[in-house]
Amino acid sequence: MKIENHKIEQLRELLSVESQNIVIVGHANPDGDAIGSSLAWGGILESKGQNVTYVVPNKFPYFLSWISGADKIHIYKDKKDDKIDTLIANADIIFCMDFNSIARIEALGEAIDSNTTAKRILIDHHLNPVSDFSMMFSYPDSSSTAFLVYTIISELYGADIISTPIAEAMYVGIMTDTGNFSFSNLTPELFKAVAKLVELGINIPKINTQVYNGYSADRVKLLGYALGSKMELMQVGDFEAAYISLSEEDMRSHNFQVGDSEGFVNYPLSIKGVSLSAMFSETRQFIRISLRSRGDVDVNLFAKKYFEGGGHKNAAGGKSMKGLEETIEYFKSAVNEFFK
Ligand code: 5GP
Ligand code: MN
């Protein structure tokens, strides 16, 4: 990934004015990369004398709350929030982290669309960004937005400006979005960046434990139940897929907290031959769909075509307004049609 010089210079110029009101927004259902990249980028801007506010559309998983600065993040909660609306109205710059279209942040997006003249800058690695932005750092070849943030900071100020807590936030984004260095775009530059983060003082086993070994017992039991009782396999010719469904009752009976089902969708892909995995989670308003795949199986296109969604080639998501059972039937016929 090479960031064009003129873009870096434009950003440098924009940030040369101190004490600007800067709002940093991460995507809905924030994950390690949305939170990690937002806090890392904001941390640097704060160290450069900017007034930074962090906002996400809804709650983020509890296993990310230890990251330095996580306690400062405002949750918009999918409805109007006067305090945050005022911050947005008074913003000079809004950075949009780890998503590719204002429509992806729902009610918060409406507030941004209707309420402010701030410059909107995208920092993201999803495919097909929508041109809602005055400036775009869109690099789908980057394995995470956090790595993109590292690269931008290195170009702007040099990586030595990164403090240990900021390096930790970056590493969380890099680690979670690459599936602990097991997905695509694992470039030499990425490992050089990680080497630098280690030099800057991050403790990888500690971060790994905080993110992956910080679950509740209920979460681990829910995983067992999801795999043991709620996973189905299907086959279309040579093509093998698997899906997991979780009803509201499944979640309620396991004292579900936001983030508890994070990563479940990856497990079916550990079955030899399975190249598509889906998870359906029932919410009050709709069914949320998570998709993962291997190799050339393109779930970004699949999510776009059938589930009003998108994402990356091997990790995407979407939604369905049908009921859970009906959504599963629709999914099965979609798989039959798309992957036959
Ligand atoms: P997850 O399954 O972890 O929620 O999401 C996987 C990937 O797909 C993420 O990169 C996420 O941003 C993207 N994604 C999830 N849901 C949607 C959606 O409804 N629309 C679009 N465009 N992307 C989504
Ligand atoms: Mn990401």
Side-chain angles (χ1 to χ4, degrees), residues 70-218:
D71 53 330
K72 292 190 277 191
I73 300 176
H74 298 274
I75 317 278
Y76 199 74
K77 293 202 187 87
D78 285 337
K79 62 175 193 304
K80 247 186 103 47
D81 180 322
D82 290 339
K83 200 171 107 212
I84 298 172
D85 285 350
T86 306
L87 288 167
I88 289 172
N90 293 334
D92 299 303
I93 310 174
I94 299 174
F95 282 101
C96 297
M97 312 299 291
D98 200 33
F99 61 94
N100 59 2
S101 141
I102 293 289
R104 282 277 287 126
I105 50 170
E106 293 159 15
L108 180 54
E110 285 161 33
I112 291 175
D113 261 342
S114 59
N115 208 6
T116 182
T117 53
K119 288 196 180 63
R120 287 181 202 172
I121 304 180
L122 178 74
I123 301 186
D124 177 50
H125 69 138
H126 289 85
L127 294 160
N128 319 116
V130 175
S131 53
D132 286 336
F133 305 94
S134 31
M135 205 175 163
M136 291 214 273
F137 291 86
S138 165
Y139 296 88
D141 284 347
S142 179
S143 52
S144 61
T145 297
F147 174 51
L148 177 54
V149 164
Y150 172 89
T151 310
I152 293 173
I153 292 168
S154 304
E155 298 277 331
L156 273 177
Y157 308 119
D160 285 320
I161 194 181
I162 300 169
S163 65
T164 309
I166 291 175
E168 285 178 343
M170 273 176 193
Y171 186 76
V172 169
I174 291 172
M175 174 183 86
T176 53
D177 257 31
T178 59
N180 238 331
F181 306 96
S182 68
F183 303 154
S184 48
N185 296 318
L186 301 175
T187 58
E189 287 66 35
L190 175 70
F191 290 102
K192 284 178 197 155
V194 172
K196 184 68 193 177
L197 297 182
V198 173
E199 219 176 275
L200 293 166
I202 64 164
N203 179 335
I204 292 180
K206 187 189 96 184
I207 298 174
N208 204 80
T209 289
Q210 270 157 318
V211 174
Y212 294 122
N213 302 332
Y215 295 125
S216 65
D218 279 317

Side-chain angles (χ1 to χ4, degrees), residues 104 126 288 290 292 309-312 315-318:
R104 282 277 287 126
H126 289 85
R288 206 151 84 73
S290 265
R292 299 290 184 274
H312 312 281

Side-chain angles (χ1 to χ4, degrees), residues 38-50:
S38 294
L39 291 173
W41 181 233
I44 294 293
L45 298 181
E46 286 186 51
S47 77
K48 290 280 173 188
Q50 307 292 2

